[in-house]
Structures are given as C-alpha cells and as structure tokens.
Amino acid sequence: MNEPNTKIAATLYSLREYCQTEKDLDNTLKRIRGFGYEAVQISGVPLSPDKIKDITDKHGLYICASHEGLDALRNDFNSLVKKLKTWDCDFTALGFPGEAFTVEPAAAGKLIAELDGYGRRFADQGIRFGYHNHEMEFAPSGDSLFLERIYAETDKTTFFAEIDVHWVQRGGQNPAEWIRKVSGRMPVCHFKDYTIVGREPRFCEVGEGNLNWSEIIQACVETGVRWYVVEQDVPVENRDIFQSLEISYQNLKKMGVK
C-alpha cells in the first residue's frame, strides 16, 4: 500500500483488547478508518504478519511503525526484519526495555551500546530503529539523564527517537524541547495528553489536557517529524477508548494537522 500524505496515525496498543483475533482486528480497523485515520502503528496484536498486512490493506491503512520487545530483538532479530518488510514498514522502536532498564551508569552504558548495535543492524536492512520513552528515562544516570545518554551515546545516523510527549511531561520535562533535542532523528512522535484528576496524573485525549499542543506541533514541523501517532494507554472514566481515539483525531484536525 502506498504511503498516505497524512501525518496522523493511531497505535493499536491503545486498542489492544480489540485486536486479539482476526475478526476483532477487522472490526477495529474498520472503525479506525471510519474516524479518518489512514495509518497505524502495530503493537499488541498477536496475529501473523501476513494476516495483519491483509487486514490493514483491506481497510486502506498504512503501517507506519511498530513496537518490538527486547527479547525479540535479542533472540529473533531476523524474524523481526522479515515481519517489517512484509508490512513495508521502515521504522520500529523498542517500546519498553522491561527489567533490562537501569540507570546504574556502567550497566546503562552496556544497554545503550546494545541498542545502538540493533540500530546498525536494522540500518543494514533499510529499517530505522528507535527508542520509545516513558518517564523513568528522566532519572539521572551518571552525569546525565538516561534519555540524554541514549541519544549522546548512539549513532545519530542509525539510531532514532520516538519521543512520547505525555511521558516527557510526566517526567518533569518540556516536550517541545525534547523534540528539538532529537531534531533530524525522529520519524515518529507519540501524541497523548496529560491531565490531573484529584492529585493523580491521568491519560486523556489529545487536546483535552494540559499539554501545549501548538508548541509541540510547531517543534515537530520544525524538526521534520513524519508521523504523529495518537496513543492513549487507557480511556478516561465513562468513555470508550474508541471515542477517545476519535476525539484525538478530530482535535488534531481542528489544530490544523493534515
């Protein structure tokens, strides 16, 4: 399928509960396409690559990215490459490092070097590999924050970023500043909003929370971000996650995103 001109995509991780069977994925993608989305990021879908490709093509949805786990990177790298090529997808990211994550300086350096190696291996296959952050990467590791280290100690020509603006804000940082820090090496940015309920931080739809979206979008435009991928880990109270994905899409269109 040809790459669309739109910038807005949805990650299926948000809809993972509705993507566990072929029938559910078919119904889910039909609804997503009906909201206006023309691209998706694959995450949390336990179906064969061929079947996922068939169903996304059926609904006119382009696969712009995926998330992969560290175990698969370590133990099944060639299968990941084959899967991404089946999807005609040229970007993937480590969604979460799990128990391998550490800010202990020496161990963190080894993890970063390992990830840098995957970036070079993927680059040899014409695929870009990046890192998706949460809030934990804004902890100190040696003289720098872990996320500062990961981009300082990797090859900017073969290792890429997938900044998640919600988690940047939740980590006490400025999303637009971080988008600019990785200028030229971020094809995909995760868009989700941030609000406070009582004293607790919460996920919410893009444009319905506290993030400065005009500043974030301007930073993305300035730095050449290709895809704005809408993600919402859980719905807000009394709202269906599909409604949330539709609200985020409509709000981004109202903000002028094409």
Side-chain angles (χ1 to χ4, degrees):
M1 177 172 171
N2 293 330
E3 183 175 330
N5 293 323
T6 181
K7 285 183 173 289
I8 307 171
T11 176
L12 297 185
Y13 179 76
S14 301
L15 302 162
R16 57 199 178 277
E17 295 179 17
Y18 307 95
C19 298
Q20 299 299 298
T21 69
E22 291 179 22
K23 181 179 179 181
D24 285 348
L25 181 62
D26 187 45
N27 290 334
T28 292
L29 295 188
K30 180 179 180 181
R31 293 185 69 179
I32 285 296
R33 189 68 183 87
F35 297 155
Y37 289 97
E38 295 181 53
V40 291
Q41 177 167 355
I42 305 297
S43 180
V45 183
L47 302 176
S48 72
D50 287 339
K51 183 54 63 176
I52 290 171
K53 177 64 170 165
D54 287 345
I55 299 174
T56 53
D57 281 354
K58 173 184 175 181
H59 295 288
L61 286 160
Y62 179 80
I63 299 174
C64 67
S66 81
H67 270 180
E68 306 299 343
L70 197 54
D71 284 347
L73 288 163
R74 288 172 170 170
N75 302 315
D76 211 10
F77 185 86
N78 291 337
S79 293
L80 293 184
V81 170
K82 182 179 178 181
K83 176 176 70 174
L84 291 162
K85 290 187 175 183
T86 296
W87 291 343
D88 298 320
C89 176
D90 69 354
F91 178 77
T92 189
L94 177 65
F96 181 65
E99 294 181 358
F101 179 79
T102 178
V103 294
E104 192 282 318
K110 289 180 181 178
L111 175 61
I112 292 168
E114 178 183 0
L115 298 178
D116 192 36
Y118 296 134
R120 290 191 295 272
R121 290 175 67 186
F122 273 118
D124 288 341
Q125 300 295 325
I127 297 167
R128 293 170 291 179
F129 175 66
Y131 187 88
H132 169 266
N133 67 276
H134 293 81
E135 85 282 22
M136 62 191 186
E137 289 88 358
F138 297 102
S141 178
D143 296 330
S144 305
L145 302 179
F146 179 90
L147 203 63
E148 291 174 332
R149 286 192 64 184
I150 203 170
Y151 295 118
E153 297 174 25
T154 53
D155 186 337
K156 66 176 60 177
T157 68
T158 57
F159 190 88
F160 298 87
E162 188 183 57
I163 294 294
D164 184 305
V165 296
H166 169 102
W167 291 116
V168 173
Q169 184 85 10
R170 201 150 159 173
Q173 301 283 310
N174 183 304
E177 288 181 6
W178 267 95
I179 291 166
R180 292 188 173 97
K181 281 178 185 285
V182 294
S183 178
R185 58 192 298 194
M186 183 162 68
V188 174
C189 186
H190 269 201
F191 277 25
K192 62 174 174 269
D193 218 329
Y194 183 102
T195 191
I196 301 293
V197 178
R199 295 184 176 183
E200 297 296 323
R202 292 286 189 270
F203 303 107
C204 66
E205 298 82 2
V206 173
E208 301 294 310
N210 300 323
L211 292 186
N212 186 335
W213 287 102
S214 61
E215 184 180 53
I216 289 168
I217 292 167
Q218 182 60 35
C220 286
V221 170
E222 290 174 5
T223 59
V225 176
R226 173 65 183 91
W227 294 104
Y228 307 163
V229 176
V230 172
E231 181 179 45
Q232 190 169 325
D233 298 45
V234 294
V236 299
E237 188 175 0
N238 299 320
R239 186 172 289 156
D240 163 294
I241 192 64
F242 286 95
Q243 288 178 293
S244 293
L245 269 287
E246 184 175 19
I247 289 167
S248 289
Y249 182 85
Q250 292 299 331
N251 283 349
L252 283 169
K253 298 297 284 187
K254 291 173 185 176
M255 295 174 197
V257 178
K258 303 296 185 182

